[in-house]
Amino acid sequence: MSTKKIKEILVTTPSDQAVIVQGWCRTKRDSKNHAFLELNDGSSLKNIQIFIDKSKHDFEDLSKISTGASVWTKGLLVESPGQNQAVELHADELAIIGEAPAADYPLQKKRHSFEFLRDIAHLRTRTNTFGAVMRVRNALSYAVHQYFQNNSFQYVHTPIITASDCEGAGEMFQVTTMDLNKLPLTEDKQIDYSHDFFGKEAHLTVSGQLNVETYAMALGDVYTFGPTFRAENSNTSRHLAEFWMIEPEMSFCDIEGNMDRAEDFLKFVLSYVLENCQEDMAFFNQWIEKGIIDNLKSVINSEFHRISYTEAIDQLLASGKKFEFPIKWGEDLQSEHEKYLTEELYKGPVIVTDYPKEIKAFYMKLNDDNKTVRAMDVLVPRLGEIIGGSEREWDYDKLLSRIKAAGLNEEDYWWYLDLRKYGSVPHSGFGLGFERLVQYVTGMQNIRDVIPFPRYPGNAEF
């Protein structure tokens, strides 16, 4: 007899056929003649009720079952007289798989703070909130791959260890096998990396973009979706030291095509999760962020307004609003500026283009004014920036000049420059932090609560 997931059983029509259920006990109600167990196996927000008739069965394991214990049971699925479920299981056989002593099991039947649950991240997915978060995260992961595969993109695995700093910011985790207590030094007292594993300085990647660009130059449309790392000492609700990035790259594509693709992609993944995670999204709508379903539907059904950075600055200055961070041309937009544009001015998603070159990465294509680059940021209500991208600089001399201006070592980018030397073409791409997407879809306030095991300053537990 095959074991079904609780999600499947709850929509099964009762019959005389026996059903096996396995899961973790959420609650137990015990009386002289009857007992009721609520089991959950993670497949659904809902539990299945197990009814035990003590006049017919004397299960010696019953007394050992408490909240958190894992249970195996077999019985008939019948129509439930209760109001909260259509079916329940009348147990004929029952066995405890793993006990969970009530005296020290951390997840009792009460509401726990998210801060507390972060300290027990190995158990928090057994709660309603975090079970729902991870099911939505799973659905979004699938939607990402489905979108790109359906649109003839090739999936490329880019390296975790790199010698290139994609963003030029220098906030990278160093990778070394050298003894930190006995570092080899050169004659001028600098660290001699020729003794290191790779023979040169190496780090964890901050982005797969530069690497995936090489494959766009041969395969056309490609994407990478993997872990990235930032050694940024930001102890905030918006930053992680380890996170996942979605990064498509498209050859023969300019900034306009890039914006079209970003809008289409975002609408697809939001539609997918609303269609396939209805139960979990209803939970978030009720308990985490009221109105979030309508908010996401509004984005899906909206035309994304497109304005230049210069237009955005003019509109912010003309608004008469007193921002916490005053804005002027040449400065990057802050969250409050992005929210004003999306929530008050345009009342919908906005794509801002053509940023000053000084505040954007070296690889972005320079405009004819020599002041701005063909960057684009997708802004959405409630969050602000959700996608950042650009048309890439595909002229060899201009790219070399930008690398030097950024203070980077051109020798580290010899292969990246080669792409502009041999058969260069216009190409574009964008990046989307996956955890930021999950946070946006679920309404969770802290990014540490949308990744299984968060990494941030001072914390690398689990």
Side-chain angles (χ1 to χ4, degrees):
M1 179 184 299
S2 61
T3 303
K4 291 185 177 180
K5 294 293 184 182
I6 288 175
K7 180 180 180 179
E8 301 172 60
I9 294 172
L10 290 175
V11 295
T12 300
T13 302
S15 67
D16 293 333
Q17 185 176 358
V19 174
I20 292 174
V21 175
Q22 299 176 118
W24 292 268
C25 179
R26 287 289 179 88
T27 63
K28 181 176 82 170
R29 291 179 287 125
D30 206 351
S31 65
K32 182 178 179 180
N33 298 318
H34 306 103
F36 296 89
L37 303 179
E38 294 280 338
L39 295 190
N40 189 283
D41 65 358
S43 64
S44 168
L45 191 64
K46 294 178 181 177
N47 308 320
I48 188 168
Q49 180 169 275
I50 310 299
F51 172 76
I52 298 163
D53 187 343
K54 290 185 175 181
S55 66
K56 294 182 179 180
H57 303 288
D58 182 18
F59 297 130
E60 59 182 52
D61 276 351
L62 186 59
S63 62
K64 301 176 184 177
I65 297 175
S66 57
T67 299
S70 54
V71 175
W72 178 95
T73 184
K74 179 181 177 182
L76 292 179
L77 195 66
V78 303
E79 186 175 344
S80 176
Q83 295 183 344
N84 296 325
Q85 64 275 327
V87 295
E88 64 184 23
L89 188 137
H90 286 199
D92 293 322
E93 299 178 48
L94 180 75
I96 186 167
I97 300 172
E99 295 183 41
D104 61 358
Y105 182 61
L107 295 173
Q108 294 303 315
K109 191 182 178 183
K110 64 177 184 179
R111 297 196 74 172
H112 299 283
S113 71
F114 293 156
E115 290 79 8
F116 168 75
L117 292 172
R118 254 170 251 143
D119 293 333
I120 53 168
H122 59 305
L123 296 173
R124 68 179 180 173
T125 310
R126 297 189 189 182
T127 67
N128 285 339
T129 299
F130 287 93
V133 167
M134 291 306 150
R135 283 189 293 272
V136 167
R137 184 184 172 102
N138 169 71
L140 284 169
S141 298
Y142 183 80
V144 168
H145 287 293
Q146 186 178 67
Y147 176 82
F148 288 121
Q149 294 296 323
N150 287 351
N151 286 279
S152 300
F153 280 67
Q154 304 291 325
Y155 182 31
V156 177
H157 297 126
T158 53
I160 301 298
I161 300 173
T162 180
S164 302
D165 180 0
C166 177
E167 298 299 327
E171 294 166 333
M172 305 176 75
F173 288 102
Q174 191 162 352
V175 176
T176 182
T177 57
M178 294 190 293
D179 185 345
L180 299 183
N181 295 311
K182 298 178 182 177
L183 290 172
L185 302 177
T186 61
E187 292 182 0
D188 56 356
K189 304 302 181 183
Q190 300 297 310
I191 297 174
D192 187 353
Y193 286 102
S194 67
H195 293 268
D196 209 350
F197 186 89
F198 295 107
K200 63 191 303 184
E201 195 171 349
H203 303 86
L204 296 179
T205 187
V206 299
S207 169
Q209 178 201 314
L210 303 190
N211 296 100
V212 84
E213 277 188 60
T214 67
Y215 281 80
M217 295 298 98
L219 298 180
D221 294 344
V222 297
Y223 73 107
T224 184
F225 180 15
T228 53
F229 309 84
R230 298 280 171 91
E232 184 178 0
N233 193 18
S234 294
N235 214 336
T236 74
S237 62
R238 292 167 57 92
H239 293 87
L240 289 169
E242 178 183 331
F243 54 97
W244 285 61
M245 283 287 288
I246 304 159
E247 296 175 299
E249 198 73 29
M250 299 153 284
S251 59
F252 306 101
C253 179
D254 62 11
I255 187 69
E256 294 295 329
N258 201 22
M259 290 189 283
D260 291 342
R261 179 63 70 187
E263 179 177 342
D264 191 50
F265 167 76
L266 189 58
K267 288 180 175 180
F268 177 88
V269 295
L270 295 184
S271 298
Y272 184 91
V273 79
L274 288 180
E275 182 179 344
N276 292 277
C277 299
Q278 294 180 24
E279 180 185 56
D280 291 320
M281 288 306 301
F283 172 84
F284 291 122
N285 197 68
Q286 180 177 359
W287 298 106
I288 303 298
E289 179 81 31
K290 293 189 183 300
I292 193 169
I293 291 177
D294 287 340
N295 180 276
L296 297 177
K297 286 181 178 178
S298 176
V299 171
I300 293 166
N301 296 321
S302 292
E303 179 182 350
F304 286 29
H305 300 278
R306 299 181 182 184
I307 61 173
S308 70
Y309 167 87
T310 300
E311 289 173 319
I313 296 298
D314 289 343
Q315 291 165 349
L316 290 166
L317 292 175
S319 69
K321 288 185 67 70
K322 189 174 182 180
F323 295 107
E324 181 181 353
F325 296 96
I327 189 69
K328 64 180 180 181
W329 202 97
E331 295 181 350
D332 210 352
L333 300 179
Q334 301 296 319
S335 179
E336 60 176 336
H337 307 136
E338 296 169 344
K339 288 185 176 181
Y340 170 78
L341 292 170
T342 57
E343 296 173 10
E344 297 186 46
L345 187 59
Y346 289 99
K347 301 186 185 305
V350 176
I351 305 180
V352 181
T353 63
D354 302 307
Y355 284 78
K357 64 180 181 181
E358 287 78 14
I359 61 174
K360 289 297 183 179
F362 70 91
Y363 50 75
M364 297 187 179
K365 184 163 186 61
L366 199 62
N367 282 319
D368 293 338
D369 61 12
N370 204 37
K371 292 170 52 182
T372 60
V373 290
R374 293 181 194 171
M376 66 100 181
D377 286 345
V378 180
L379 316 180
V380 289
R382 193 164 48 84
L383 177 67
E385 182 193 343
I386 193 168
I387 290 176
S390 72
E391 184 175 338
R392 315 309 190 189
E393 183 56 73
W394 57 285
D395 180 275
Y396 180 94
D397 293 328
K398 290 180 180 178
L399 178 61
L400 179 59
S401 177
R402 293 275 283 150
I403 288 174
K404 291 178 178 178
L408 301 172
N409 184 359
E410 66 178 274
E411 293 179 1
D412 292 336
Y413 298 90
W414 65 270
W415 53 274
Y416 192 64
L417 286 162
D418 266 5
L419 298 177
R420 279 73 181 170
K421 187 186 293 185
Y422 306 121
S424 185
V425 301
H427 60 290
S428 302
F430 59 83
L432 171 59
F434 186 57
E435 282 70 30
R436 183 167 289 192
L437 175 63
V438 179
Q439 191 179 5
Y440 180 64
V441 167
T442 60
M444 296 293 287
Q445 295 301 302
N446 197 312
I447 201 167
R448 298 173 185 178
D449 296 329
V450 297
I451 191 170
F453 301 104
R455 300 289 185 252
Y456 50 90
N459 184 81
E461 198 62 60
F462 308 105

